[in-house]
């Protein structure tokens, strides 16, 4: 915490009293704390309390400029190493989600590029309300990290989820996050492109062909790459899971959409992982109107989709390319065939006929192949742990490639 500048946003919830303890603990831990209160927060705790604890002037009014040399909301937004909103009320979360900037704190939140952490606190029904949950989902997707509220007796008399986390726990959480931000990570400075989900190939306005991919494997890879420090772009087709936070998401529908989205970003990518289940064929025509029931049979002509991974393999210059192989038999034979045909560095084979592996499950059982054959055989693991292991292997191979390139003064 030493030397960190933290903007502590205090909103008008009864938990504002806990924010005083948080301010004190952050200051004691060595952080420079600038408290910004909403007008409502000042009705619950006086600004002087925070001023005494932080040894800094407390801001409430956007137009109350203390230093004529700067515009204070921009200055604070720029100087912050982190903005911590505690308590974060339902109202402030709604403003953050919609980009409303009508007071000092919400304006700073819109202007800052620093990491934002929020500790929600409110009545259990307000927390569970679909509007609040939707706002939390939007903010999570944009990279805001939440310090989850606890369950217990609330000031309003209800018992349930909505209590702001204890100040000590918030300080611990922030210390860990700062430590993680400062530790050099294996994919720092790298751009990673991940595909996830199943493509949708439309037959008519109400029918389509797709597959059982939930997106879980691709999401786990995107999250692991994000946590390894990469700038991640996730190309997501049809998925049934909430989108991961802290990655750039591009939604696509069909294999053709995915092809365009992937190819247009390929030149910049360092690592590409194709976990998506891409339809090999699509209807030759998409009927503009619902196809009517006529005879006893209906013939649909399917035409071949482009093989995106194969095209990436053809265009590959410096990218590290990982394909997946979803098989029900002959895993090694088919995975090796795909690896060579699509010019991949690694192929992750999963036998999707096995329980606990493949489509829709929270776990997977994979064998990773390189040009020589199997190199990593993993037991049943969560998709997140599977993703970690795949990434570690890719990172080793990528840095070995970079070292070899350096040794011969260019690319290999
Ligand atoms: O999403 P989940 O429910 O978590 O399920 C995970 C998964 C089973 C979808 C995943 O682990 C997986 O195996 N993904 C690849 C599925 C697949 O399409 O495999 P394939 O063997 O048909 O294709 C081989 C590779 O070529 C894949 O990397 C695929 O993305 C790519 N491909 C395939 C066809 C095509 N037209 N273009 C492609 O790029």
């Amino acid at each position: 915490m030493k030397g960190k500048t933290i903007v502590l946003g205090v909103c008008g919830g009864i938990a504002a009293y806990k924010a005083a303890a948080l301010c004190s603990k952050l200051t004691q831990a060595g952080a420079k704390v600038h408290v910004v209160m909403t007008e409502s927060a000042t009705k619950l705790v006086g600004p002087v309390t925070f001023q005494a604890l932080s040894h800094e002037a407390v801001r409430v009014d956007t137009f109350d400029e203390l230093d004529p040399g700067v515009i204070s909301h921009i200055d604070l937004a720029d100087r912050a190493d982190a903005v911590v909103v505690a308590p974060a009320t339902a109202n402030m979360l709604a403003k953050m989600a919609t980009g409303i900037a009508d007071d000092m704190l919400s304006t700073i939140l819109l202007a800052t590029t620093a990491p934002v952490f929020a500790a929600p606190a409110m009545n259990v029904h307000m927390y569970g309300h679909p509007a609040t949950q939707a706002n939390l989902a939007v903010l999570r997707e944009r990279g805001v990290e939440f310090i989850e509220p606890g369950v217990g007796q609330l000031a309003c008399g209800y018992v349930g989820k909505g209590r702001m986390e204890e100040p000590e726990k918030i300080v611990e959480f922030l210390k860990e996050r700062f430590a993680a931000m400062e530790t050099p990570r294996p994919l720092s400075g790298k751009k990673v492109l991940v595909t996830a989900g199943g493509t949708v190939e439309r037959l008519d306005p109400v029918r389509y062909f797709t597959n059982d991919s939930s997106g879980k494997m691709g999401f786990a890879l995107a999250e692991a790459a994000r946590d390894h420090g990469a700038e991640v772009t996730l190309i997501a087709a049809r998925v049934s899971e909430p989108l991961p936070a802290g990655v750039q998401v591009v939604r696509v529908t069909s294999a053709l959409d995915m092809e365009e989205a992937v190819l247009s970003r390929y030149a910049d990518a360092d690592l590409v992982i194709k976990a998506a289940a891409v339809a090999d064929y699509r209807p030759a025509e998409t009927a503009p109107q619902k196809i009517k029931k006529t005879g006893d049979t209906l013939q649909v002509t399917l035409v071949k989709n482009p093989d995106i991974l194969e095209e990436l393999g053809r265009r590959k210059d410096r990218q590290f390319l990982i394909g997946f192989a979803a098989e029900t038999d002959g895993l090694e034979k088919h995975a090796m065939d795909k690896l060579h045909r699509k010019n991949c560095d690694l192929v992750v084979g999963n036998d999707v006929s096995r329980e606990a592996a493949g489509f829709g499950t929270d776990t997977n059982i994979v064998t990773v192949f390189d040009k020589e054959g199997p190199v990593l055989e993993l037991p049943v693991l969560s998709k997140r742990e599977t993703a970690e292991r795949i990434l570690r292997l890719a990172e080793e191979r990528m840095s070995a490639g970079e070292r070899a390139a350096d040794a011969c003064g260019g690319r290999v």
Side-chain angles (χ1 to χ4, degrees):
M1 287 292 179
K2 270 212 161 48
K4 296 286 177 230
T5 299
I6 295 179
V7 170
L8 174 61
V10 183
C11 306
I14 193 65
Y17 80 93
K18 286 187 179 177
L22 177 60
C23 174
S24 164
K25 287 183 189 312
L26 289 171
T27 310
Q28 283 169 29
K32 196 173 227 350
V33 183
H34 295 281
V35 177
V36 180
M37 299 179 79
T38 63
E39 199 59 56
S40 331
T42 63
K43 307 267 191 288
L44 295 150
V45 185
V48 177
T49 304
F50 289 102
Q51 186 179 305
L53 293 169
S54 66
H55 316 297
E56 295 286 339
V58 172
R59 328 290 171 112
V60 180
D61 182 354
T62 324
F63 298 99
D64 191 6
E65 299 285 4
L66 304 175
D67 174 358
V70 294
I71 297 168
S72 58
H73 60 275
I74 302 296
D75 179 52
L76 277 181
D78 287 349
R79 277 198 286 136
D81 291 304
V83 180
V84 180
V85 188
T89 54
N91 183 51
M92 185 53 72
L93 294 170
K95 287 204 233 177
M96 288 163 73
T98 45
I100 292 174
D102 63 354
D103 63 8
M104 183 70 167
L105 178 56
S106 53
T107 310
I108 289 173
L109 283 161
L110 202 58
T112 193
T113 54
V116 175
F117 301 95
M122 64 198 76
N123 161 271
V124 61
H125 298 311
M126 291 169 85
Y127 186 70
H129 195 285
T132 304
Q133 289 302 313
N135 291 332
L136 290 171
V138 166
L139 293 169
R140 230 177 242 122
E141 209 173 298
R142 288 191 202 138
V144 174
E145 286 192 61
F146 289 99
I147 304 149
E148 288 287 311
V151 177
Q153 180 78 44
L154 305 176
C156 54
Y158 280 94
V159 174
K161 191 165 182 173
R163 268 165 70 144
M164 188 176 101
E165 185 51 284
E166 296 307 319
E168 303 73 33
K169 294 257 180 70
I170 298 179
V171 174
E172 277 319 302
F173 178 93
L174 293 172
K175 277 184 181 167
E176 274 171 29
R177 294 304 292 120
F178 276 123
M181 281 184 239
E182 273 156 25
T183 313
R185 290 178 290 170
L187 290 175
S188 291
K190 300 276 187 236
K191 290 194 174 163
V192 176
L193 200 57
V194 179
T195 68
T199 63
V200 167
E201 311 298 329
R202 225 161 240 291
L203 181 62
D204 73 10
V206 296
R207 303 181 182 98
Y208 53 80
F209 291 95
T210 189
N211 57 64
D212 288 330
S213 174
S214 60
K216 287 180 188 174
M217 191 65 243
F219 289 3
L221 285 155
E223 286 170 349
R226 173 203 64 198
D227 293 347
H228 286 212
E231 186 184 321
V232 181
T233 303
L234 173 69
I235 317 268
R238 178 176 176 270
V239 293
S240 55
E241 294 296 304
L243 294 164
V247 305
Q248 199 209 330
V249 179
V250 179
R251 295 310 307 261
V252 295
T253 307
S254 65
L256 291 178
D257 297 337
M258 183 175 280
E259 182 192 36
E260 203 278 316
V262 171
L263 293 184
S264 62
R265 292 169 175 82
Y266 190 46
D268 277 351
D270 298 291
L271 167 63
V272 180
I273 312 177
K274 285 230 67 239
V278 184
D280 289 323
Y281 294 91
R282 66 179 185 279
E285 278 171 29
T286 304
Q289 256 84 46
K290 183 183 169 195
I291 297 171
K292 296 286 176 285
K293 183 164 59 181
T294 47
D296 286 343
T297 59
L298 171 73
Q299 281 203 340
V300 177
T301 304
L302 300 178
V303 292
K304 212 170 185 179
N305 267 329
D307 192 310
I308 307 165
L309 185 56
E310 204 168 311
E311 185 55 31
L312 297 181
R314 261 192 294 275
R315 295 187 186 191
K316 183 164 83 169
D317 47 24
R318 61 186 183 87
Q319 296 84 353
F320 194 88
L321 194 53
I322 305 180
F324 266 70
E327 309 297 341
T328 53
D329 64 299
L331 183 69
E332 176 159 356
K333 178 171 166 291
H334 295 305
M336 288 303 288
D337 169 63
K338 284 173 186 171
L339 183 131
H340 288 297
R341 194 157 38 83
K342 305 188 186 198
N343 192 22
C344 294
D345 296 284
L346 296 173
V347 159
V348 181
N350 40 186
D351 179 346
V352 294
S353 66
R354 292 177 72 177
E355 219 175 290
F359 294 93
T361 51
D362 289 328
T363 54
N364 211 351
I365 310 168
V366 308
T367 303
V368 186
F369 301 87
D370 73 3
K371 292 200 164 60
E372 309 300 323
V375 281
L376 180 65
E377 198 166 336
L378 296 177
V380 186
L381 291 174
S382 68
K383 284 188 170 161
R384 181 56 202 260
E385 188 53 33
T386 305
E388 279 291 330
R389 306 285 190 95
I390 295 168
L391 274 191
R392 271 185 238 156
L393 176 65
E395 287 157 9
E396 271 167 39
R397 299 285 172 109
M398 286 164 78
S399 42
E402 279 162 17
R403 281 196 302 275
D406 285 348
C408 56
R411 287 176 181 156
V412 287

